[in-house]
Amino acid sequence: MLHGRRVAMNNILVTGGAGLVGSAMKRQYPDATYVSSVDFDLTNPTDVLNMFTKYNPTHVIHLAGRVGGVAANIAHPVEFFEENVLINTNVMRYAHQFNVERLTACMSTCVFPDTVEYPLQPHKIHLGEPHQSNYAYAYAKRMIDIQMRAYQQQYGRKWLAVIPTNVYGPDDNYNLINSHVIPALIHKCYLAKINNTPLDVWGGGKAIREFIYSDDVARVIWKLTTETVEVDPIIISSPFQYSIGEVVQKIVQLFGFTGEVKFQFDQPEGQHRKPSDISLLLSMELGKFTPLDIGLQHTISWFIDNYDTARK
Ligand code: NDP
């Protein structure tokens, strides 16, 4: 329920402020306070205490976390689990101590069980094991739901967990091995074009996924934090679903790449479809969603203009 409440900007603290979603939030709401790991290491309780002492926020948008693609998750499950649990525990503990009125933290659609009845809905989060490729990250993120319920039960905290789907946009991680599908494809296509080599695509391109532009996620999280009293987890996704093959086609067109596209049919693609139920989000009328073509256009322009400094 939107209730149009306004919060003084200097009382809003955003962790993960230099990341994909944090940067998108900063572009739209520049007057809040944005922190990254350069300012405070949130795995360290002393740093987190110092952060809350310095800013004493009434509202916290907690975006920080150890985030990565499949390869990184398979190689570093210990870090993905421990760092996320430490970060979230420290942030919630001090948010409670400093009497933070509203804390919003990010889970991810990968928290859902690998085998589940679709569409994804928040009440299905704990119904089975997450996919084995990122189980450590997924379980750590699931615990946000448990911790928030515990703070609500014991202390009456009305905090909110959000569940974004696949996010893309400027300031993403474009590493060829450790990134998510869209930034990896953009970087690969950029290199294929300048080196005049084929574009290799993991899998056969048939899997269908939901994608959401980072500006849209940032706007929705901001409004949910500052203008609503929702406490149940909310899935943040767009109504747009595309096959990976269609996404590849759009990226290829936007780059003007005319070389060969080689789908690696022998590589696993995961579930064919993973639709999520966004009826609650749509009912809240939090704004329009950026079409994939437009979001990709902005993202690719940004990547080309910022190639030397982009995270990769
Ligand atoms: P990014 O990886 O782009 O940004 C993560 C941020 O977390 C960075 O600013 C990073 O700081 C900060 N961070 C990492 N470790 C620490 C630490 N120990 N102390 C302090 N800060 C730290 O992530 P996104 O913007 O993509 O994601 C935002 C949130 O949304 C995350 O919680 C993620 O799990 C969730 N999410 C993301 C999805 C996606 O597709 N990207 C999908 C679903 C959920 P620095 O910049 O200094 O390294």
Side-chain angles (χ1 to χ4, degrees):
M1 175 186 56
L2 288 174
H3 60 70
R5 196 176 43 170
R6 283 280 169 266
V7 178
M9 291 298 179
N10 58 4
N11 283 340
I12 302 178
L13 175 67
V14 183
T15 71
L20 168 64
V21 180
S23 303
M25 199 168 277
K26 197 172 185 176
R27 286 195 294 275
Q28 296 173 77
Y29 309 100
D31 295 332
T33 301
Y34 292 83
V35 291
S36 77
S37 66
V38 176
D39 309 299
F40 304 97
D41 175 2
L42 302 182
T43 63
N44 179 342
T46 308
D47 270 26
V48 182
L49 171 60
N50 290 340
M51 179 179 80
F52 277 93
T53 305
K54 182 169 179 185
Y55 298 113
N56 198 15
T58 55
H59 290 60
V60 174
I61 297 177
H62 174 41
L63 305 174
R66 171 108 182 197
V67 181
V70 175
N73 271 275
I74 290 172
H76 298 282
V78 173
E79 285 89 346
F80 274 90
F81 184 81
E82 288 187 358
E83 288 179 29
N84 283 308
V85 166
L86 284 170
I87 288 172
N88 298 332
T89 299
N90 288 333
V91 167
M92 284 195 222
R93 180 172 293 165
Y94 286 106
H96 172 62
Q97 254 181 50
F98 281 74
N99 204 18
V100 167
E101 186 184 324
R102 187 73 162 158
L103 168 72
T104 301
C106 288
M107 295 199 276
S108 159
T109 46
C110 72
V111 301
F112 284 102
D114 184 30
T115 308
V116 68
E117 196 175 300
Y118 292 105
L120 302 177
Q121 290 167 310
H123 71 269
K124 298 175 183 169
I125 291 172
H126 303 285
L127 296 185
E129 291 255 345
H131 193 268
Q132 59 173 354
S133 62
N134 58 8
Y135 69 96
Y137 170 80
Y139 269 122
K141 284 285 181 182
R142 265 190 202 184
M143 291 307 108
I144 289 176
D145 179 51
I146 302 299
Q147 280 175 302
M148 285 208 166
R149 274 158 48 184
Y151 274 101
Q152 186 176 3
Q153 180 187 325
Q154 195 169 333
Y155 300 112
R157 292 284 173 209
K158 291 190 167 59
W159 294 342
L160 176 68
V162 292
I163 313 174
T165 187
N166 304 292
V167 191
Y168 70 97
D171 295 293
D172 205 345
N173 170 15
Y174 290 87
N175 184 283
L176 291 169
I177 298 166
N178 290 339
S179 58
H180 292 122
V181 57
I182 286 187
L185 284 170
I186 288 176
H187 193 176
K188 279 193 204 174
C189 193
Y190 174 89
L191 293 176
K193 187 174 180 197
I194 57 171
N195 296 326
N196 205 14
T197 50
L199 168 62
D200 286 324
V201 179
W202 180 276
K206 295 267 187 295
I208 294 168
R209 295 290 179 266
E210 293 168 2
F211 297 98
I212 184 162
Y213 190 50
S214 55
D215 280 10
D216 298 342
V217 180
R219 183 191 67 250
V220 167
I221 293 178
W222 182 273
K223 285 178 178 277
L224 287 170
T225 307
T226 59
E227 298 179 20
T228 77
V229 289
E230 281 294 331
V231 290
D232 286 334
I234 296 179
I235 295 178
I236 302 182
S237 188
S238 75
F240 312 128
Q241 298 184 6
Y242 290 93
S243 72
I244 301 299
E246 288 171 317
V247 175
V248 170
Q249 205 175 21
K250 288 178 189 299
I251 291 174
V252 161
Q253 274 170 4
L254 286 164
F255 268 107
F257 175 69
T258 51
E260 186 187 359
V261 179
K262 283 166 72 174
F263 287 94
Q264 297 167 346
F265 289 96
D266 53 335
Q267 301 294 349
E269 295 192 281
Q271 301 280 356
H272 178 56
R273 283 183 76 220
K274 292 169 70 172
S276 51
D277 178 358
I278 54 166
S279 50
L280 174 60
L281 187 68
L282 294 178
S283 74
M284 298 171 97
E285 297 183 353
L286 294 168
K288 291 204 174 103
F289 294 94
T290 307
L292 185 64
D293 300 72
I294 307 287
L296 284 178
Q297 205 176 334
H298 290 318
T299 307
I300 290 172
S301 298
W302 179 90
F303 182 70
I304 293 170
D305 290 347
N306 294 276
Y307 184 75
D308 290 339
T309 52
R311 264 193 293 168
K312 55 186 188 311

